[in-house]
Amino acid sequence: MKLVLGRDDLAAAAESAVREAGTEPERLDISPVHKASRGFVNESAADLCEVAIATVLQAVDRGKPVLLLPVTTLGRHQHQTLVTLGKLSVADIEGHSVGVRSWSQTTGVWMRGFLTDQYGVDLREANWTTYEGSHVDGADEPSWVRRAPDGAKLQADFLEGRLDFGIMGNGLPSDDRIRTAIDNAHETAEQWSKDQGFIPVNHVVGVSERAATEHSAAVLAAYDAMKSVLTAEAEPGPVPLHPVGFEALRGAFTKAAAYALEQGVIERAVAYDEIVERSCVALGVTPARLGG
């Protein structure tokens, strides 16, 4: 069974559990981990793979054989990911240029959702530029979004002033000129999660439909092992950064799916219960077995 997980502790736990369940694991070394998503979704190049929430939603939307194993591998606040170099603020988004790696990047989905929900921004009134396509074949960006020329880089365009704003998480460059476009972004993010009752999750674990059907015991063992790692110590804050189980992830998936639909990231409404049912049918379990 081929595994792609960015965190060494989760990977070690999953590998050990899969082996004990009678299936030989192989951890694929792909970094950054999001580069594994395209092969996993479109070619089943891995059996169990760390993927972004938006990738799961697009895969379900497009009928790809991708299922959710409800484990959060990357949970973080997102309001601080909208950055600028000048004196502009979130109130100035309309009429200005904004760059994001991909329209379907989960960080961008969350941030654009905050812009519409909290700040009343009309997304079509901003000048959006993306730098790569979706991880899911056939998923296109809206017609009102511009693709940067070949060879262009988000970080360079931002730092050299060709973009007024950038949405960047792990790819944020180190530069003392950079500041968050939202005042008190971290405090705002913490309050948003407290009000919503969940964290805006980025990465979860996906499993191929074939692996779930043919190696269900190994997949369930991997889930149990990763859950044990993530729940071994209580996390700080009013809501957990790494929720585990179907019910624990319901809020984040439901909100992300609503944002994705209104932004044109997915073409149809994807109900969370549909995602849960697909996983349970393939694994031959009830939702309760996976925290449902």
Side-chain angles (χ1 to χ4, degrees):
M1 179 182 292
K2 295 180 179 179
L3 287 69
V4 181
L5 292 165
R7 284 181 51 166
D8 291 339
D9 56 348
L10 294 180
E15 284 182 282
S16 178
V18 166
R19 186 174 291 110
E20 289 180 10
T23 300
E24 188 59 31
E26 176 189 1
R27 185 184 182 189
L28 304 182
D29 184 15
I30 300 176
S31 181
V33 72
H34 72 78
K35 290 189 176 295
S37 298
R38 188 179 303 278
F40 168 65
V41 171
N42 301 302
E43 303 163 12
S44 297
D47 299 299
L48 189 147
C49 185
E50 180 172 336
V51 289
I53 275 188
T55 301
V56 175
L57 292 169
Q58 284 193 320
V60 174
D61 179 32
R62 291 283 168 174
K64 301 292 185 179
V66 171
L67 309 173
L68 170 65
L69 198 63
V71 174
T72 301
T73 56
L74 175 59
R76 70 170 180 221
H77 296 300
Q78 307 284 359
H79 287 72
Q80 75 283 357
T81 62
L82 179 68
V83 294
T84 184
L85 295 176
K87 296 181 179 180
L88 298 174
S89 76
V90 66
D92 302 305
I93 290 288
E94 294 182 12
H96 287 86
S97 55
V98 191
V100 62
R101 177 174 59 81
S102 168
W103 191 250
S104 61
Q105 183 185 18
T106 297
T107 297
V109 172
W110 283 119
M111 192 62 243
R112 292 191 302 269
F114 303 151
L115 290 177
T116 56
D117 266 3
Q118 293 182 276
Y119 301 98
V121 172
D122 183 344
L123 297 178
R124 291 174 179 259
E125 293 300 315
N127 302 313
W128 295 94
T129 299
T130 62
Y131 291 78
E132 61 183 69
S134 168
H135 293 139
V136 180
D137 287 349
D140 299 320
E141 53 207 22
S143 59
W144 41 275
V145 174
R146 168 184 172 269
R147 178 67 62 84
D150 289 345
K153 301 294 184 183
L154 168 58
Q155 288 80 0
D157 281 354
F158 175 70
L159 292 174
E160 294 168 15
R162 289 183 288 277
L163 294 169
D164 298 312
F165 297 91
I167 296 177
M168 289 176 273
N170 292 342
L172 183 68
S174 177
D175 192 302
D176 290 340
R177 297 174 297 163
I178 297 174
R179 64 181 186 80
T180 58
I182 295 174
D183 290 338
N184 302 311
H186 289 281
E187 292 82 356
T188 300
E190 290 178 357
Q191 187 62 51
W192 185 91
S193 290
K194 184 177 180 180
D195 292 343
Q196 297 289 330
F198 57 83
I199 203 80
V201 169
N202 254 46
H203 290 185
V204 292
V205 177
V207 59
S208 72
E209 193 170 43
R210 181 194 60 79
T213 302
E214 297 180 5
H215 303 288
S216 58
V219 171
L220 292 170
Y223 167 82
D224 291 339
M226 289 186 286
K227 177 182 178 181
S228 293
V229 170
L230 294 173
T231 58
E233 296 183 8
E235 294 185 313
V239 292
L241 279 173
H242 298 89
V244 179
F246 283 132
E247 279 309 305
L249 277 164
R250 180 177 292 275
F253 259 94
T254 301
K255 180 67 79 172
Y259 285 164
L261 182 62
E262 59 187 37
Q263 295 169 22
V265 174
I266 53 178
E267 294 184 343
R268 67 173 179 89
V270 175
Y272 187 59
D273 286 333
E274 175 187 352
I275 295 173
V276 172
E277 181 179 7
R278 292 174 75 248
S279 295
C280 290
V281 168
L283 289 166
V285 298
T286 64
R289 174 63 179 83
L290 294 169

